[in-house]
Amino acid sequence: MALITISGYPCSGKTRRAQQISEFIEYKLKEPEYTGPQYKIVVISDHSLNISRSAYNDSRSEKPARGALFTNLQRQISPNNIVILDAPNYIKGFRYQIYCAAREFKVRVATVFVVSTPDQCRTRNEARPKGERYTAETLDNLIQRFEEPSSMVRWDSPLFTLLWTDDGIPSPDIWKAIISDDVKPPNSGTLSITKAPTDALLNLENTTLATVSAIMSEQSSSGSFGGPMQLAITPTLTIKISLPGRNVTLSELQRLKRQFVTVHKKAITLGTTEKGTVDWEEQRIAEKFVAYLEEHLQ
């Protein structure tokens, strides 16, 4: 239903903000004025997944940690859940990946940027129990590498920025973003592509060749040029075509056949650029090829 991505320096207060947001949403869902569906609130964090702070010490251990976050996120995103991702999320490429996943599942998105100074983060880190601290080197490294969210890019929008001096959160705006804002359509790169059947290329070649042969045969046997014709493509497939009032040559038909086949070969190889289901049966191919000939023969 919705995904809220929390971003900020390590030890900037992200977990506190995630808790405030979670408590507020839970309160709103229980209000008598609220008559919509009841959603489950799911908070995903390094702590909930038992990801150690030491995972961020080097890139080799950090990559599987991010992978675990993303995998769990994909499992939890659904029309029935409001997911809050409480993690550094400091790489804009990772936030974009999260955004694409949300679009694929057709849920609303929002980003909360928790702002704190580096010195404040260092102080909070030192105050933590030893097993929950970042090393000083890792903390400084993560702060230096942090890529700040921007409301100018779609994957960080809508963006809510919370300063360390703010006691509360912009509750009404966050509620509106996750309840009533537009749901972004899936990215075309994430959509599954309808693949053509294995015999589609053979059907394309044979049906267009049979159509060309049927036109030449009908012109020869009838002795007339142009006008409506009934073509026997196969013993079980007959189709109508209307030709210009002249003799249509074999070279013309072969040239148009090559053009038609080339265009549709690409659709077969790469999937399809057409909306909806593409029918690669003989009759549908013949109908499309006849329409193509009627349009291009003058």
Side-chain angles (χ1 to χ4, degrees):
M1 182 270 178
L3 168 64
I4 301 172
T5 302
I6 312 288
S7 181
Y9 290 161
C11 307
S12 59
K14 296 184 299 300
T15 298
R16 171 172 165 258
R17 298 303 190 179
Q19 185 177 1
Q20 286 178 314
I21 293 169
S22 176
E23 289 173 353
F24 167 73
I25 294 172
E26 189 173 359
Y27 166 77
K28 290 292 288 184
L29 292 174
K30 291 179 179 178
E31 275 190 330
E33 295 82 3
Y34 176 72
T35 58
Q38 287 298 313
Y39 299 107
K40 179 182 177 183
I41 302 171
V42 180
V43 179
I44 301 173
S45 65
D46 288 346
H47 180 73
S48 69
L49 299 179
N50 295 316
I51 296 174
S52 170
R53 305 295 187 201
S54 62
Y56 294 94
N57 288 350
D58 59 71
S59 58
R60 282 188 299 179
S61 58
E62 182 182 342
K63 189 173 181 179
R66 282 203 309 272
L69 277 170
F70 187 71
T71 300
N72 197 263
L73 172 69
Q74 288 180 302
R75 289 182 187 144
Q76 296 295 342
I77 294 180
S78 83
N80 303 316
N81 290 351
I82 297 175
V83 180
I84 301 173
L85 185 60
D86 172 21
N89 301 318
Y90 67 94
I91 301 173
K92 63 183 178 183
F94 185 56
R95 294 198 300 271
Y96 177 71
Q97 187 180 8
I98 293 168
Y99 168 77
C100 289
R103 287 181 62 176
E104 185 177 358
F105 285 95
K106 299 180 181 178
V107 300
R108 295 179 179 88
V109 296
T111 302
V112 175
F113 178 26
V114 181
V115 179
S116 192
T117 67
D119 285 341
Q120 288 172 325
C121 294
R122 294 185 185 103
T123 301
R124 293 192 190 109
N125 186 54
E126 288 299 320
R128 287 181 172 181
K130 189 173 182 180
E132 297 180 12
R133 295 179 198 164
Y134 296 93
T135 66
E137 182 182 355
T138 297
L139 181 63
D140 288 342
N141 185 34
L142 291 174
I143 290 174
Q144 289 172 6
R145 291 164 57 198
F146 185 82
E147 296 175 321
E148 186 174 314
S150 169
S151 60
M152 301 298 292
V153 296
R154 60 188 184 279
W155 57 88
D156 287 334
S157 299
L159 177 64
F160 304 97
T161 301
L162 303 180
L163 301 178
W164 65 91
T165 54
D166 295 334
D167 292 327
I169 59 173
S171 307
D173 294 333
I174 293 177
W175 177 252
K176 177 179 177 293
I178 65 173
I179 293 295
S180 58
D181 274 7
D182 293 336
V183 177
K184 303 298 183 184
N187 191 315
S188 59
T190 69
L191 292 173
S192 58
I193 299 174
T194 305
K195 294 293 184 181
T198 54
D199 62 348
L201 189 57
L202 183 62
N203 280 347
L204 176 66
E205 188 65 41
N206 288 346
T207 303
T208 51
L209 181 60
T211 303
V212 169
S213 299
I215 292 172
M216 296 305 298
S217 177
E218 184 64 24
Q219 282 192 144
S220 177
S221 61
S222 65
S224 61
F225 302 135
M229 291 184 180
Q230 195 84 5
L231 303 177
I233 308 297
T234 68
T236 58
L237 176 59
T238 303
I239 196 166
K240 292 180 180 179
I241 187 172
S242 182
L243 296 175
R246 61 177 179 82
N247 181 38
V248 178
T249 66
L250 178 61
S251 61
E252 283 182 287
L253 293 173
Q254 288 178 330
R255 175 176 56 81
L256 292 173
K257 171 186 170 294
R258 283 194 300 271
Q259 292 174 359
F260 180 84
V261 168
T262 299
V263 169
H264 288 78
K265 267 185 179 178
K266 184 177 180 180
I268 291 172
T269 305
L270 301 180
T272 177
T273 57
E274 298 184 31
K275 294 181 179 179
T277 303
V278 178
D279 190 348
W280 295 100
E281 296 298 322
E282 287 181 343
Q283 181 171 349
R284 182 61 182 139
I285 294 173
E287 289 171 353
K288 291 176 72 173
F289 184 44
V290 162
Y292 184 83
L293 292 176
E294 288 177 340
E295 181 182 354
H296 289 83
L297 284 170
Q298 303 295 330

